[in-house]
Amino acid sequence: MFAITVPGFSLANTFDSRQSLMWRRVFTIDGECYIVVHRDKFCKVSQVKDRILVSGSEEDFYDVWFNYFDMSVDYTVLDKECKAMCYPVARASRCVYGVHMLNLDPVESMLTQLLWWRCDATRARDRLRLICDLAGTHKKRSYPGVGQVEVAFIPTLEELNSNQKLLNDILGPIATNRVISLFEFIESHQGLLNASEHFNILDIRDWLIESGFYTERQIARILRDSYGFREQLCAPKRIERDILRWSDESTAIEWSNSASSKLGLNVAYAGMLVQTMVGV
């Protein structure tokens, strides 16, 4: 178990932001904790005031979870700036203080957005977990006070193909074929998985448009969640309209340009706060 003090961090509010549908909340006699899944890793995370307790070693924490939880960013500064912004953002910063923006695996983000189409977060989460349960690799681990926890990871293309008949029977052939087609597209565009090394954000955006799977707003969420592009508001339409209604700017781009003077490259954080408060 590794412990670290992180002022202004709320696990509960970060969970409620629905950035990752792979998280699981667990209630124990010692309070609540979270099972957090990232790529082929998972851990148990809990919080006591400003202390974050993460299962595993210090090396594991700094190799995987420090970046995943975006702990290099001082969110207390961002929260302070949000409190002085337009009414919806200021209100959200007081109600859901401590949300951290997560750095998700691109495959998780792309699959989540594919499934999260014309449905709410609960249904998208159930679809994602079903695919993982049916086709993904399973691992078990025991934690004090929690007991044995079994986690199913996002499947590989090979695992999806091996379980295609089962997925067809449970999900239906249309949904199954879309998921497999997405993974085939990712397989043929390896730059989607190592963009920071070889390609810029415009290449990624062009590939996501080329895939034909996503709307502009979904692409913006993928770029925000997995590629660090947080310079735009990136909020659902109803939230964007509410923010603009209380602002001098008439478009989301104008608002983002103005907000960057306060939030720098983390403009999307304002939208995330409002989204967390009103629900998605």
Side-chain angles (χ1 to χ4, degrees), residues 210-222:
E210 178 191 335
S211 74
F213 291 118
Y214 306 109
T215 66
E216 282 288 341
R217 288 179 185 274
Q218 288 178 308
I219 290 172
R221 292 183 197 118
I222 294 169

Side-chain angles (χ1 to χ4, degrees), residues 24 34 40 119 169 174 184 191 210 214 233 255 265 277:
R24 189 188 314 169
Y34 301 86
D40 60 348
C119 67
D169 293 340
I174 295 177
E184 289 173 342
E210 178 191 335
Y214 306 109
L233 177 57
W255 190 92
L265 299 179
M277 184 186 69

Side-chain angles (χ1 to χ4, degrees), residues 176-278:
T176 299
N177 288 337
R178 278 178 60 80
V179 171
I180 291 177
S181 294
L182 170 63
F183 277 69
E184 289 173 342
F185 184 83
I186 295 171
E187 185 81 11
S188 65
H189 294 75
Q190 284 296 301
L192 289 167
L193 304 181
N194 57 3
S196 61
E197 299 178 21
H198 302 291
F199 303 96
N200 65 37
I201 204 73
L202 295 178
D203 293 319
I204 301 301
R205 185 177 183 276
D206 289 344
W207 283 329
L208 293 173
I209 293 171
E210 178 191 335
S211 74
F213 291 118
Y214 306 109
T215 66
E216 282 288 341
R217 288 179 185 274
Q218 288 178 308
I219 290 172
R221 292 183 197 118
I222 294 169
L223 296 179
R224 176 196 67 193
D225 294 342
S226 295
Y227 299 100
F229 185 72
R230 301 172 178 175
E231 298 173 32
Q232 301 295 327
L233 177 57
C234 190
K237 279 185 181 180
R238 60 193 173 97
I239 292 174
E240 181 182 296
R241 285 195 300 266
D242 192 35
I243 289 175
L244 292 177
R245 186 165 63 89
W246 289 88
S247 306
D248 294 331
E249 295 77 21
S250 57
T251 69
I253 292 177
E254 290 175 357
W255 190 92
S256 299
N257 291 337
S258 175
S260 65
S261 65
K262 295 180 180 294
L263 302 178
L265 299 179
N266 291 290
V267 172
Y269 179 64
M272 179 63 66
L273 283 179
V274 182
Q275 175 179 310
T276 303
M277 184 186 69
V278 302

Side-chain angles (χ1 to χ4, degrees), residues 29-226:
I29 57 174
D30 297 322
E32 64 185 28
C33 63
Y34 301 86
I35 305 301
V36 179
V37 181
H38 178 54
R39 295 179 175 164
D40 60 348
K41 310 284 186 184
F42 71 100
C43 67
K44 180 179 79 74
V45 188
S46 57
Q47 182 169 12
V48 180
K49 296 183 179 179
D50 283 344
R51 295 284 281 176
I52 306 299
L53 310 174
V54 185
S55 63
S57 66
E58 180 178 355
E59 182 180 8
D60 291 335
F61 174 78
Y62 283 107
D63 284 349
V64 179
W65 304 113
F66 183 85
N67 180 66
Y68 175 81
F69 287 113
D70 208 33
M71 290 188 177
S72 62
V73 175
D74 187 349
Y75 280 86
T76 61
V77 174
L78 296 181
D79 275 318
K80 181 179 179 180
E81 295 292 349
C82 284
K83 285 180 174 62
M85 297 178 73
C86 63
Y87 174 68
V89 176
R91 179 182 58 174
S93 69
R94 289 173 171 81
C95 294
V96 291
Y97 176 80
V99 174
H100 268 219
M101 300 190 76
L102 305 176
N103 291 301
L104 302 183
D105 174 53
V107 175
E108 177 187 344
S109 183
M110 285 185 275
L111 179 57
T112 297
Q113 291 303 320
L114 181 74
L115 300 173
W116 199 343
W117 170 240
R118 294 182 177 177
C119 67
D120 60 18
T122 300
R123 187 172 181 186
R125 180 203 63 198
D126 291 345
R127 289 172 175 173
L128 178 60
R129 290 184 180 176
L130 184 60
I131 290 170
C132 295
D133 288 340
L134 293 175
T137 298
H138 289 239
K139 286 187 180 180
K140 297 179 181 178
R141 192 175 295 157
S142 292
Y143 296 110
V146 176
Q148 189 176 77
V149 172
E150 181 173 354
V151 167
F153 298 111
I154 291 175
T156 62
L157 177 58
E158 182 180 356
E159 288 172 329
L160 287 170
N161 285 326
S162 298
N163 293 277
Q164 184 171 2
K165 185 179 185 305
L166 179 59
L167 290 167
N168 281 337
D169 293 340
I170 304 299
L171 288 178
I174 295 177
T176 299
N177 288 337
R178 278 178 60 80
V179 171
I180 291 177
S181 294
L182 170 63
F183 277 69
E184 289 173 342
F185 184 83
I186 295 171
E187 185 81 11
S188 65
H189 294 75
Q190 284 296 301
L192 289 167
L193 304 181
N194 57 3
S196 61
E197 299 178 21
H198 302 291
F199 303 96
N200 65 37
I201 204 73
L202 295 178
D203 293 319
I204 301 301
R205 185 177 183 276
D206 289 344
W207 283 329
L208 293 173
I209 293 171
E210 178 191 335
S211 74
F213 291 118
Y214 306 109
T215 66
E216 282 288 341
R217 288 179 185 274
Q218 288 178 308
I219 290 172
R221 292 183 197 118
I222 294 169
L223 296 179
R224 176 196 67 193
D225 294 342
S226 295

